[in-house]
Amino acid sequence: MGKIILVTGPARSGKSEWAENLALESGKKVVYIATANENPHDLEWQQRIEKHQQRRPETWITICVPRELTGSLKNQTADTCILIDSLGTWVANCLEQDDLIWEKTLGEFLADLPLVDGDLLFVAEETGWGVVPAYPTGRKFRDRLGGLVRQLGRISHTVYLVTGGYVLNLSILGVALPPVKS
């Protein structure tokens, strides 16, 4: 089992850049798993994707995985650092799943993480720092992503919060909450 590292924070905080830096520092072969769906009709979205692509070294292997994230983590080797960017986009891509299917997807995902040989480096957005979303889909997204980040944080070796131009190692500074009771 490799290390599990979670990098979280608000939009435009530098989460991806910090995670990319950690991947470079690992000294391992890097597999970058992009969860975004490309959309040639959305020029601004394509520019965001291209900006991320331009920052990555050419030696990194990039795989686009909008939904089947669990399967993409299998068959990695111990000499690999797998950078997944981002969990928020993955959750958004799975919003059409009903609650039972989502719970199954999430359960399989979390259960398989300790079985991955390479290091896992996750980027996840923080939601819910503001008002409660006015629409059911927004609340579903916030609740699913928030629950995922909390559960992933509990099994991560290191959790970083990137905000306000700083990186905080929550694993050192914080105290883990007890597990959520079902």
Side-chain angles (χ1 to χ4, degrees):
M1 175 180 146
K3 291 185 288 187
I4 299 173
I5 299 169
L6 174 61
V7 178
T8 188
R12 298 288 193 189
S13 64
K15 299 178 301 293
S16 295
E17 292 169 63
W18 178 247
E20 291 161 6
N21 179 62
L22 293 172
L24 280 173
E25 287 181 354
S26 75
K28 297 182 175 196
K29 173 181 78 172
V30 177
V31 174
Y32 184 98
I33 297 178
T35 60
N37 282 310
E38 292 196 26
N39 181 353
H41 302 293
D42 186 340
L43 183 59
E44 188 268 338
W45 183 247
Q46 288 305 116
Q47 289 172 341
R48 286 175 181 260
I49 290 172
E50 289 169 12
K51 185 177 179 181
H52 275 245
Q53 290 169 340
Q54 291 168 358
R55 280 199 316 250
R56 297 193 295 262
E58 291 180 12
T59 56
W60 288 12
I61 299 164
T62 300
I63 305 169
C64 294
V65 184
R67 287 184 183 80
E68 301 300 326
L69 190 53
T70 303
S72 69
L73 302 177
K74 296 180 180 177
N75 302 321
Q76 300 293 341
T77 58
D79 65 339
T80 305
C81 177
I82 305 119
L83 195 166
I84 299 92
D85 193 358
S86 78
L87 290 176
T89 304
W90 178 61
V91 168
N93 292 338
C94 296
L95 275 180
E96 77 282 350
Q97 293 180 351
D98 67 36
D99 290 340
L100 288 176
I101 293 174
W102 169 249
E103 288 302 321
K104 182 178 185 232
T105 299
L106 183 60
E108 290 172 357
F109 172 72
L110 292 169
D112 282 356
L113 294 183
L115 305 176
V116 177
D117 285 330
D119 291 345
L120 293 167
L121 184 49
F122 292 99
V123 176
E125 300 79 3
E126 283 294 335
T127 62
W129 288 24
V131 298
V132 174
Y135 299 97
T137 304
R139 291 189 296 271
K140 180 192 287 189
F141 172 77
R142 181 203 57 181
D143 292 348
R144 285 183 178 183
L145 181 58
L148 169 57
V149 169
R150 182 174 178 177
Q151 291 178 69
L152 186 56
R154 289 200 48 74
I155 63 172
S156 294
H157 296 90
T158 309
V159 178
Y160 294 101
L161 173 65
V162 182
T163 189
Y166 285 86
V167 177
L168 301 171
N169 185 333
L170 297 180
S171 308
I172 294 173
L173 299 172
V175 176
L177 287 170
V180 178
K181 296 179 182 175
S182 303

